[in-house]
Amino acid sequence: MTHQMVTKANICKFYKDFPCVGEEDGYKFPETEFATYLADLKKQDWLKGYEAILPQQ
């Protein structure tokens, strides 16, 4: 499932009572850092048996 990040630049698309403020491309999700974080999580002993709950990259 894909989720949309709601920011002050796009809030008006989701909540008509709020004005859009700021630049549309103001936030960039840190894909590389997130992938590294997930890879590190998968190596943790305390998560053994729960790997399926981690997002797949």
Side-chain angles (χ1 to χ4, degrees):
M1 176 179 285
T2 301
H3 295 279
Q4 177 70 42
M5 178 72 71
V6 179
T7 67
K8 57 185 176 178
N10 69 3
I11 193 169
C12 63
K13 295 177 184 176
F14 303 97
Y15 302 98
K16 300 299 181 195
D17 294 341
F18 291 89
C20 286
V21 180
E23 296 182 21
E24 184 66 31
D25 295 322
Y27 177 78
K28 299 290 185 210
F29 186 79
E31 294 284 345
T32 303
E33 292 85 353
F34 186 62
T36 301
Y37 172 70
L38 289 177
D40 289 341
L41 273 181
K42 291 176 183 178
K43 297 175 188 173
Q44 299 296 318
D45 287 338
W46 61 272
L47 272 175
K48 292 234 185 282
Y50 292 95
E51 297 87 354
I53 65 171
L54 296 174
Q56 302 299 312
Q57 289 279 320

